[in-house]
Amino acid sequence: MAEKVIYRIVQKDLRRSIIEGKYKVGDLLPSENELCSKYGISRMTVRNALNNLETEGLIERQKGKGSIVRLKRKSIELLSIKGFTEIMKGKERKIDTVFLHKPILLDWEDGFYWPLSEEEIISKCIYLKRVRMSAEKPIMMEKTYLSNMNLPSFCTEEFINKSLFDTLIVNHDIEMTGVVQKFRAIPANAELADSLQLIVGAPVLEIIRKLTTNREGFFVYSFAYCNTDDFTIEA
Amino acid sequence: MAEKVIYRIVQKDLRRSIIEGKYKVGDLLPSENELCSKYGISRMTVRNALNNLETEGLIERQKGKGSIVRLKRKSIELLSIKGFTEIMKGKERKIDTVFLHKPILLDWEDGFYWPLSEEEIISKCIYLKRVRMSAEKPIMMEKTYLSNMNLPSFCTEEFINKSLFDTLIVNHDIEMTGVVQKFRAIPANAELADSLQLIVGAPVLEIIRKLTTNREGFFVYSFAYCNTDDFTIEA
DNA sequence: TAGTGGTCTAGACCACTGC
DNA sequence: CAGTGGTCTAGACCACTAA
């Protein structure tokens, strides 16, 4: 498992140092020539590592100056909710997350929206239902489904920061790597009208998402329904 | 304005050929050695160009095989429209784009949604209005605004592939690098009901976007309104 | 086996930043 | 001015693909 490609080693070393905080945002990394000496390699090999870190968004490079730590990684996992009055200031409203129940293990529903692999079906399905509230008004109702592949005791463990994604990365080393998301405006049916305190037929934003992860074949599926009278959804 | 950096020239040449369809998805580009000979340059310079095209998502490279055209560009720039019946197959409907008029140069509207820089205001605003049709039914109405910074003759030139973004990258070297996008479900007002052939009050998906580019201080703003009865919007 | 892209070396000159 | 990253050369050996 040990990496033998030199520029990958350098890349990993520097990445770890940055993420662990040895170099902070705004700091300069060692110069290319210093890294050449340190590892005893040629400049092109060092540049390969640094170019990749730049593509990852961890650093920015400036001619005559050096490689500057930036940490501009972008997060794909969040649907952020912004109130209209705060939109221009970029501030986010205080949003409370309420679990309608703890995560539970179920069979996948018949006719599930997304096609499922044999492995996912066998593993069964962890199901969550949450509501996001602002000032005691419901803004978004979200149903989340993930397969129970190598997730020991997931249904009983406490969530970290009340966050599914923090829990997955910290406790299970699962990181979101990409997303397919579909948007529609639909009229509220009886269930949605009830959940979101709207009248039947009012416009509701539907967001259907499939998140890919660093674990092969493991996906997170989410169906969200939003009242966007007073908020927009940023994705 | 002529580019003097060799690998950028090669990169631009290949990109143009791909976007204009000289090489199609699945085709192999000339090998690295062939490109070396053709341009009379060393292999590293060619590889620099190809690496960048790979990062852009235009090609994929395979050891022992070659550089394969992929066109998996970051979906930053595209709002892709998918019909429900085709969703699972991943196929996209045939969508026609109709310009309500050619791009025109205007002053920025008072009270424009996004804050504008001094430079943008001075440069004035290029405005486009387009409608996407499927089977002669309007699906999406989109208004686009960009500042007229260093865009000689943009309003008169012919679009490449009828696409704003293809034209910006091929003719002006402007690449989209990021996006802020907000989604809402709103009831159709009279104008939207008319444009999208809906009844007033029907749910309409509103997408407000600000696209960042590789050109400092240059942004593309877009406001889209979609009838999602028969289609979803993927973003 | 011939050709491909992946990795790597050891040089070189340049434009730019900061002192 | 010395040091930085940006560009470029002309080689080399490797692992992989396809005929």
Side-chain angles (χ1 to χ4, degrees):
Chain A
M1 193 57 185
E3 187 64 68
K4 51 188 172 293
V5 178
I6 303 176
Y7 77 88
R8 293 258 175 229
I9 297 174
V10 178
Q11 188 179 335
K12 263 176 92 167
D13 283 356
L14 292 171
R15 183 165 50 207
R16 187 186 310 113
S17 297
I18 292 170
I19 291 179
E20 289 181 349
K22 183 176 161 194
Y23 302 108
K24 300 193 174 58
V25 172
D27 285 359
L28 287 175
L29 294 187
S31 76
E32 298 185 353
N33 284 324
E34 283 171 336
L35 290 169
C36 291
S37 312
K38 180 178 171 191
Y39 287 92
I41 56 181
S42 82
R43 206 173 140 217
M44 203 219 105
T45 306
V46 166
R47 283 184 61 75
N48 205 346
L50 292 172
N51 284 338
N52 290 338
L53 291 176
E54 189 173 26
T55 300
E56 288 179 31
L58 291 178
I59 65 171
E60 175 190 322
R61 309 170 80 203
Q62 268 184 44
K63 207 188 299 194
K65 207 168 176 193
S67 301
I68 309 158
V69 175
R70 284 296 180 220
L71 274 175
K72 294 257 184 248
R73 287 185 293 175
K74 84 168 183 185
S75 78
I76 45 184
E77 50 210 39
L78 311 157
L79 288 173
S80 101
I81 300 171
K82 301 207 174 181
F84 285 146
T85 55
E86 283 101 336
I87 284 177
M88 291 314 176
K89 305 172 205 151
K91 279 171 62 182
E92 300 192 19
R93 277 284 180 85
K94 178 105 181 281
I95 303 289
D96 288 320
T97 301
V98 177
F99 281 82
L100 295 198
H101 54 72
K102 292 268 172 195
I104 51 174
L105 190 60
L106 300 173
D107 284 319
W108 292 91
E109 294 166 12
D110 276 346
F112 189 68
Y113 181 88
W114 299 92
L116 297 166
S117 71
E118 202 51 51
E119 199 184 0
E120 282 176 298
I121 294 171
I122 291 170
S123 308
K124 294 197 171 184
C125 160
I126 297 170
Y127 172 66
L128 301 93
K129 188 171 176 182
R130 292 173 290 181
V131 176
R132 322 268 180 182
M133 316 278 292
S134 172
E136 301 185 19
K137 276 181 58 184
I139 305 301
M140 181 196 297
M141 189 270 282
E142 184 174 13
K143 301 176 182 180
T144 308
Y145 303 77
L146 45 156
S147 60
N148 190 34
M149 289 162 51
N150 299 312
L151 289 178
S153 69
F154 185 85
C155 288
T156 54
E157 74 189 339
E158 204 61 38
F159 269 25
I160 294 172
N161 301 336
K162 279 191 170 184
S163 158
L164 171 64
F165 297 110
D166 284 358
T167 308
L168 285 174
I169 183 74
V170 172
N171 289 353
H172 304 278
D173 266 327
I174 297 177
E175 188 186 359
M176 301 301 123
T177 54
V179 63
V180 176
Q181 46 191 0
K182 302 163 187 287
F183 298 84
R184 291 173 69 203
I186 60 173
N189 58 22
E191 184 203 353
L192 286 175
D194 185 53
S195 302
L196 297 173
Q197 294 177 17
L198 291 169
I199 59 168
V200 171
V204 170
L205 175 64
E206 178 188 53
I207 307 171
I208 301 174
R209 310 204 303 161
K210 176 179 182 176
L211 297 145
T212 57
T213 69
N214 58 351
R215 190 180 287 188
E216 184 77 20
F218 181 81
F219 304 98
V220 176
Y221 306 96
S222 139
F223 302 81
Y225 300 88
C226 317
N227 172 358
T228 54
D229 287 350
D230 300 321
F231 296 86
T232 52
I233 303 300
E234 220 174 284
Chain B
M1 193 54 187
E3 186 64 68
K4 50 192 174 294
V5 177
I6 304 176
Y7 78 87
R8 292 263 175 223
I9 298 175
V10 179
Q11 188 178 335
K12 258 178 93 166
D13 284 356
L14 291 172
R15 183 165 56 206
R16 174 177 233 115
S17 297
I18 292 170
I19 291 180
E20 289 182 345
K22 183 176 159 195
Y23 303 108
K24 299 192 176 58
V25 172
D27 286 358
L28 287 176
L29 293 187
S31 76
E32 297 185 354
N33 285 323
E34 282 170 336
L35 291 169
C36 291
S37 311
K38 179 177 171 192
Y39 287 91
I41 57 182
S42 81
R43 202 169 145 220
M44 203 218 104
T45 306
V46 166
R47 283 183 60 78
N48 204 345
L50 292 172
N51 284 338
N52 290 338
L53 291 175
E54 187 172 29
T55 300
E56 287 179 30
L58 291 178
I59 64 170
E60 175 191 321
R61 311 170 78 203
Q62 267 185 44
K63 208 188 298 195
K65 207 169 178 192
S67 300
I68 309 158
V69 175
R70 283 298 180 219
L71 275 175
K72 292 234 187 284
R73 285 191 281 179
K74 294 165 290 185
S75 69
I76 290 174
E77 50 206 46
L78 316 156
L79 289 174
S80 103
I81 301 171
K82 303 209 174 178
F84 284 146
T85 55
E86 282 100 337
I87 284 177
M88 292 314 176
K89 303 173 205 151
K91 278 171 63 183
E92 299 192 19
R93 277 283 179 85
K94 178 103 180 283
I95 304 288
D96 289 319
T97 300
V98 177
F99 281 82
L100 294 197
H101 53 72
K102 291 270 173 196
I104 51 175
L105 191 61
L106 298 174
D107 285 319
W108 291 91
E109 293 166 14
D110 276 346
F112 188 69
Y113 182 87
W114 299 92
L116 297 166
S117 70
E118 205 48 54
E119 199 184 1
E120 283 176 297
I121 294 171
I122 291 170
S123 308
K124 294 196 168 182
C125 161
I126 296 170
Y127 173 64
L128 300 91
K129 188 170 176 182
R130 292 173 288 182
V131 175
R132 322 269 179 182
M133 316 278 292
S134 173
E136 302 184 19
K137 274 182 56 184
I139 304 300
M140 181 196 299
M141 188 269 283
E142 185 172 13
K143 301 176 182 179
T144 308
Y145 304 77
L146 45 156
S147 60
N148 189 35
M149 288 162 50
N150 299 312
L151 289 178
S153 69
F154 185 84
C155 288
T156 54
E157 74 190 339
E158 204 61 38
F159 270 26
I160 294 173
N161 300 336
K162 279 191 171 186
S163 158
L164 171 64
F165 296 110
D166 284 357
T167 308
L168 284 174
I169 183 75
V170 171
N171 288 352
H172 304 278
D173 258 328
I174 297 176
E175 187 187 359
M176 302 301 123
T177 54
V179 65
V180 177
Q181 47 190 357
K182 302 162 188 288
F183 297 84
R184 289 172 71 203
I186 60 174
N189 59 21
E191 184 203 350
L192 286 175
D194 185 55
S195 302
L196 297 173
Q197 293 177 19
L198 291 168
I199 60 167
V200 171
V204 170
L205 174 63
E206 178 188 51
I207 308 171
I208 300 174
R209 310 203 303 161
K210 176 180 182 174
L211 297 146
T212 56
T213 68
N214 57 351
R215 190 181 286 186
E216 185 78 20
F218 180 81
F219 304 98
V220 176
Y221 306 97
S222 139
F223 302 81
Y225 300 88
C226 318
N227 172 357
T228 54
D229 287 351
D230 300 320
F231 296 85
T232 52
I233 303 300
E234 217 172 290

